[in-house]
Amino acid sequence: MADFVGVAIGLILLVGGGMLLVTGGSRLAARLGVSPVVIGLIVLGFGTSAPELVVNVSGAIRGESGLVFGNVIGSNIVNLALILGLSAIVGQIDIRGSLVRREVPLLLLVTSIITVMALDGPLDGAVSAIGRSDAIILFILFGIFIFVTARGALATARTDPLVTEISENPMIETRPAAGFAGLSVLIGLALLLAGSEVTIRSAVSLSGLLGVSPALVGLFVVAVGTSVPELVTSVIAVIYKESDLAVGNVVGSNLFNSLFVLPVGALIDPIVIPGGGLSDLAFSWLLTAALIPIFIFGRARLGRSTGALLLVAYLVYAGVRFTSGIA
């Protein structure tokens, strides 16, 4: 019981720290004269992925590569199936702008690259892993992603719905504040560090209690908890009819997780792919691929029935992974 409570407390600290980091960081960026468009896209992406980042850094330092892998890939799966599915059930999602449409195929490409990296070892008769050289490649892709995204957002600042919806998000403060922006960032970082320490310790202990690997706990427990900021952002966006933000938040978060959070952990300590990890990557790839005909070639509309299918797919996959004995 104490382990469950420990994980819950750690996740609460992580979510609270991430929220403070977003609000404080956006105010500091505004004070430095950063464009509101860039603040919305970059700061929101970093802030909502901050819980995953600190958990992965702490896990990598402790040598818990299974938990690191499970947290990142699990968060990506949670975003695409659980969060997007729940958001579509709350209200129909209609994509109107071009920025989100560009990011969906990019996410499919990035997921494919990570999958190939994971398969590289077994094809050569070695252990399946994301190594430091892989991390450097992902960092380079991250830099390209940030440049292209910021450039595209600035070019369509007055026409793309995603930019407008992000600037109206209550989590983002694009007006410089003279008060406690720096203090908010410091408190947010402190909460993130404390939360990551509690979460890692409790999650590892919980995996032993349940008789499963830390990777599974990271995949379906820690990942759900660290994805709460994305869940809140997307559901609120759907309620306020801001569909581009609801999807852009999910896809953008997955890109941050894949191109920044994952390689940070791999750079500290190469991430050995745990048992069942390749199936997790394959499931994440399939979820991303399923969005292509919907948002690229279709009417760019995600209805309640499709949302329900995504939610069922997540629950079925979680059940299969826990009961199959793959750990």
Side-chain angles (χ1 to χ4, degrees):
M1 186 65 181
D3 296 326
F4 284 100
V5 174
V7 171
I9 292 174
L11 292 174
I12 290 171
L13 292 173
L14 286 169
V15 172
M19 296 293 189
L20 283 173
L21 192 63
V22 169
T23 55
S26 60
R27 287 174 178 171
L28 282 177
R31 187 183 300 174
L32 295 173
V34 178
S35 166
V37 174
V38 176
I39 291 175
L41 286 171
I42 308 303
V43 176
L44 183 62
F46 268 112
T48 55
S49 295
E52 288 92 343
L53 176 60
V54 292
V55 165
N56 276 23
V57 170
S58 181
I61 292 173
R62 290 172 171 270
E64 295 288 348
S65 64
L67 186 59
V68 170
F69 176 86
N71 183 37
V72 171
I73 305 305
S75 293
N76 287 358
I77 291 173
V78 166
N79 287 341
L80 292 173
L82 186 60
I83 294 178
L84 204 55
L86 286 173
S87 299
I89 291 173
V90 170
Q92 180 172 282
I93 296 175
D94 292 293
I95 300 302
R96 296 169 292 164
S98 61
L99 287 176
V100 173
R101 290 173 181 262
R102 295 177 194 170
E103 288 188 348
V104 173
L106 178 59
L107 177 59
L108 183 64
L109 174 62
V110 169
T111 306
S112 301
I113 290 172
I114 293 174
T115 304
V116 171
M117 288 176 173
L119 288 170
D120 188 44
L123 290 175
D124 289 334
V127 176
S128 179
I130 304 295
R132 291 188 173 92
S133 59
D134 296 326
I136 293 172
I137 293 173
L138 293 175
F139 276 132
I140 293 172
L141 293 175
F142 178 71
I144 296 172
F145 161 65
I146 291 296
F147 174 77
V148 172
T149 300
R151 185 178 179 181
L154 290 171
T156 60
R158 297 183 179 180
T159 59
D160 198 285
L162 177 61
V163 178
T164 303
E165 291 167 7
I166 284 180
S167 65
E168 296 173 351
N169 190 295
M171 289 180 63
I172 296 295
E173 179 57 71
T174 56
R175 296 171 299 178
F180 302 99
L183 183 60
S184 295
V185 171
L186 291 176
I187 295 175
L189 289 173
L191 290 176
L192 286 168
L193 292 173
S196 67
E197 183 69 17
V198 174
T199 301
I200 291 294
R201 287 186 178 183
S202 301
V204 172
S205 181
L206 181 61
S207 68
L209 178 66
L210 297 177
V212 299
S213 72
L216 279 180
V217 175
L219 198 67
F220 295 109
V221 179
V222 178
V224 172
T226 55
S227 296
V228 168
E230 288 90 342
L231 174 62
V232 172
T233 300
S234 290
V235 170
I236 291 177
V238 169
I239 292 174
Y240 284 94
K241 309 297 183 183
E242 298 176 339
S243 297
D244 285 76
L245 176 57
V247 178
N249 170 57
V250 165
V251 176
S253 176
N254 279 21
L255 286 167
F256 269 93
N257 288 342
S258 301
L259 296 177
F260 188 78
V261 177
L262 182 67
V264 165
L267 203 60
I268 296 172
D269 185 41
I271 299 172
V272 177
I273 308 300
L278 292 178
S279 66
D280 298 329
L281 282 169
F283 186 57
S284 177
W285 188 93
L286 287 173
L287 288 172
T288 308
L291 298 181
I292 299 294
I294 296 174
F295 292 132
I296 305 301
F297 302 116
R299 294 181 296 173
R301 176 176 297 171
L302 188 65
R304 288 185 171 88
S305 58
T306 308
L309 285 175
L310 288 173
L311 186 58
V312 170
Y314 177 80
L315 295 175
V316 169
Y317 186 74
V320 169
R321 283 290 274 119
F322 265 109
T323 58
S324 63
I326 299 177

